[in-house]
Every structure is written in C-alpha cells, then in structure tokens.
C-alpha cells in the first residue's frame, strides 16, 4: 500500500496565468462608459412613450450628460492635491450640518402641527430614530468642519 500524500503533486490549476489588461482606464472614464451603457437604452425606450416636448428635453439632457461625463473623464485624479480638495470638504461638511438642522426643524414642525396630541416624551419615544439620524448628520458635518479647521496650512512656494 502507498501511504504517501498526493497533496504535493502539481495540479493543472497551479499553472494558470490570468490575462493582464493591456490598457488601464481611469475611474472617471469607467464611470462615463458605465453610465452611458445604462442611460442610452433607457432614453431610447422612454423617448417614444413620452410627450414630444418632454421627449426632446429628455434627449437634450442625455446629450448634456454625455458632454459633462466627457469633460469629467479628462480629469486626471492624480494631479489633484489635498489643498485643492479643501473647499469641497468644507462644502460637504456644511451640507451635512445644514441638512441635519433642516430635517430636525421639519420633524419638529411635523410633530407640532400634525401630531399635537402627543406629549414631548411620546414624540421622542415614537420618533427617536429620526432624531438620531438627523443629529448624527449634523455631528458628522461638525466633525468634518473641525477636521478642516485643524488641518495645517500648506506653505506657499515662491
């Protein structure tokens, strides 16, 4: 009897070499092609169904999307530095804070106008989930703004 292990024997799957892509595409270029692959058939199907005025606007919007994504695909993400992204991060932080505050205000308005029969404790008990979400959005925005405020200012080159 042969009690030797056959686990060390080479198998055909050990020698598989996967094909490497010949060209690498940028992420924004992939997004452009993926979005177009989904949008164009949708526009082609919906355009005959829609009223003529709306159909024309729909097709014009599709062409505008093509142009916008073409411009986006030309952006080289490797050339964008951290300092250039600061205004975008500040805007996102302010958006989170503002949206959280606005939604808390809308929730309070809803509770005070359409649900006045509930006491404050009952309102919190029934709508705690929404309160937590909206407060968390605001706190997240505040953390983003605080992080930007504590970032060191880059020295300018002369």
């Amino acid at each position: 009897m042969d009690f030797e292990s056959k686990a060390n024997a080479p198998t055909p799957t050990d020698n598989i070499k996967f094909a490497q892509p010949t060209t690498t595409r940028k992420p924004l270029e992939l997004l452009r092609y993926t979005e177009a692959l989904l949008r164009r058939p949708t526009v082609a199907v919906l355009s005959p169904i829609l009223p003529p005025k709306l159909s024309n606007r729909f097709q014009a919007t599709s062409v505008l999307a093509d142009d916008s994504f073409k411009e986006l695909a030309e952006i080289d993400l490797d050339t964008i530095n951290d300092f250039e992204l600061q205004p975008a991060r500040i805007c996102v932080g302010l958006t989170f804070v503002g949206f959280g505050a606005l939604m808390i205000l809308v929730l309070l308005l809803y509770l005070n106008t359409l649900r006045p029969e509930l006491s404050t404790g009952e309102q919190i008990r029934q709508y705690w989930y929404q309160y937590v979400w909206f407060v968390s959005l605001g706190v997240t925005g505040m953390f983003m703004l605080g992080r930007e405020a504590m970032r060191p200012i880059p020295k300018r080159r002369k």
Side-chain angles (χ1 to χ4, degrees), residues 42-109:
T42 305
V43 170
V45 167
L46 292 178
S47 290
I49 299 170
L50 296 173
K53 188 175 180 181
L54 187 59
S55 176
N56 292 339
R57 282 184 154 180
F58 196 52
Q59 290 172 352
T61 305
S62 177
V63 170
L64 182 65
D66 273 334
D67 296 340
S68 299
F69 275 112
K70 182 179 179 185
E71 288 178 21
L72 278 176
E74 293 171 0
I75 295 174
D76 186 15
L77 295 177
D78 296 331
T79 61
I80 300 173
N81 62 19
D82 194 47
F83 182 69
E84 292 173 340
L85 292 175
Q86 185 177 15
R89 288 191 299 261
I90 290 172
C91 285
V92 169
L94 288 172
T95 302
F96 276 35
V97 171
F99 185 76
L102 178 68
M103 292 312 296
I104 287 175
L105 183 68
V106 168
L107 181 62
L108 290 174
L109 183 66

Side-chain angles (χ1 to χ4, degrees), residues 109-129:
L109 183 66
Y110 166 76
L111 291 175
N112 289 331
T113 56
L114 299 176
R115 302 297 301 267
E117 72 276 0
L118 297 177
S119 67
T120 305
E122 290 173 335
Q123 288 175 352
I124 293 173
R125 196 173 308 112
Q126 282 188 350
Y127 294 95
W128 68 272
Y129 195 78

